Amino acid sequence: MIDIKKLIEQGSQLFGNRGTWMLLLQDIAENFYVERSDFTVKREVGNDYAGNLTSSYPLLVRRELGDSISSMLRPRGQEWFSISIDQDDRLDTSGKEWLEWVSGVQKRAMYDKQSQFVRATKEGDHDFAAFGQCVISVEVDHSTTSLLYRCWHLRDVAWCERYNGSIGDIHRNWNPDVRTLVSIFGKEKLHRDVVKRLDKEPYG
């Protein structure tokens, strides 16, 4: 049985322990990645982004570095990944042919337009170029059963490490609108007060 209250408390503790880090990321973003400069402030449509900068050079440097990551790691004209096993010397011809086939299936699924793989990895590249890390999730789209890749704002995700250095608990703040909730869960699984808001406040 999952203790929801305990999960919320753990997530709140992780988010509460990174105030200084958020200030650092905000400072970096305001100088190198203004599109992400909403770690500690709320940006409204029409705000003057990069109004604090006297030169666009820092933005251009980050953009060039971020764009170069995909060209080095994921060149579109080349086979940049393949599915294999740890002990590939145990594979016979049929096994190698099958792994080659599923590698093609995986690549087609990743580069399907609905998967948003290109967009998510591009955003992740620029987060990595600016902040040294990024958060990308891989899941199944509930409406199409295709893969769905998404890059999340570092502001909205907190995590901790296990004793061996691997990533342990991951917590993500999520604030969906009513329309999104209905699309994912259906009206019958939502509270009636939420469903009532669908007609008047679908984006609230």
Side-chain angles (χ1 to χ4, degrees), residues 68-75 80-81 125:
S68 67
I69 293 176
S70 62
S71 62
M72 291 186 294
L73 300 181
R74 303 182 302 277
W80 56 271
F81 81 93
D125 291 340

Side-chain angles (χ1 to χ4, degrees), residues 82-94:
S82 62
I83 299 175
S84 185
I85 62 175
D86 291 337
Q87 296 177 317
D88 55 2
D89 57 323
R90 300 177 60 184
L91 285 173
D92 56 14
T93 302
S94 297

